[in-house]
Amino acid sequence: MDKREIFVKMASIEERIGDLYREIGELKDVIVVLMEENAQLLVENQHLRNRLDKKPASPPPKQKETHKQETAKKKVVGEGYDNLARLYAEGFHICNVHFGSLRKEGDCLFCLSFLSGGVHK
Ligand SMILES: [Zn+2]
């Protein structure tokens, strides 16, 4: 392989690396969109669950919930709260203001007040 061949080969590799670099950048953008969408759905799901739990019991329940069912319901709410706390720890907004987008600037006061206030107690 003479020097010119080596140079041509190097230029071709450089070009391919440039293409790969660009493709990685594009994939990264797609992943960010997917992650944000996933986080938004998780937050929305949790908010909807909370709303369902808060809904007044009308018409009145046919049968009084057993203690076991009530405990199960409380457990679900607790799990939802944990899910949101984890989501926040993973770097997503869980507040209504920025809702499921990636946190780019450290802690968010809206999220923190949401977390410290609890989902509902
Ligand atoms: Zn936030």
Side-chain angles (χ1 to χ4, degrees):
M1 200 186 276
D2 65 24
K3 283 175 186 161
R4 198 186 165 280
E5 257 181 89
I6 291 175
F7 183 80
V8 168
K9 198 150 188 134
M10 289 282 283
S12 143
I13 289 173
E14 191 180 20
E15 198 179 314
R16 271 147 62 197
I17 288 175
D19 286 346
L20 283 174
Y21 189 78
R22 196 171 32 74
E23 276 179 53
I24 287 174
E26 285 167 11
L27 284 175
K28 215 171 72 185
D29 290 344
V30 171
I31 285 172
V32 166
V33 170
L34 289 175
M35 283 165 73
E36 288 188 344
E37 199 175 272
N38 184 50
Q40 280 163 14
L41 289 172
L42 284 171
V43 174
E44 188 178 8
N45 186 39
Q46 190 53 44
H47 285 308
L48 289 171
R49 278 176 190 276
N50 292 343
R51 194 179 292 179
L52 275 177
D53 287 341
K54 273 179 197 162
K55 212 171 171 184
S58 58
K62 295 157 215 153
Q63 216 177 346
K64 199 180 178 334
E65 276 187 336
T66 64
H67 180 65
K68 205 178 173 185
Q69 281 171 321
E70 280 170 16
T71 312
K73 203 190 249 180
K74 267 178 203 155
K75 202 176 157 232
V76 170
V77 173
E79 278 169 11
Y81 179 79
D82 288 347
N83 286 340
L84 289 181
R86 195 174 338 116
L87 208 55
Y88 182 78
E90 284 171 4
F92 291 97
H93 284 282
I94 54 164
C95 59
N96 288 320
V97 186
H98 301 295
F99 195 67
S101 57
L102 270 172
R103 286 190 293 116
K104 282 159 192 143
E105 287 134 23
D107 283 330
C108 166
L109 291 178
F110 299 112
C111 287
L112 288 177
S113 72
F114 183 71
L115 277 177
S116 64
V119 177
H120 78 86
K121 280 177 180 171

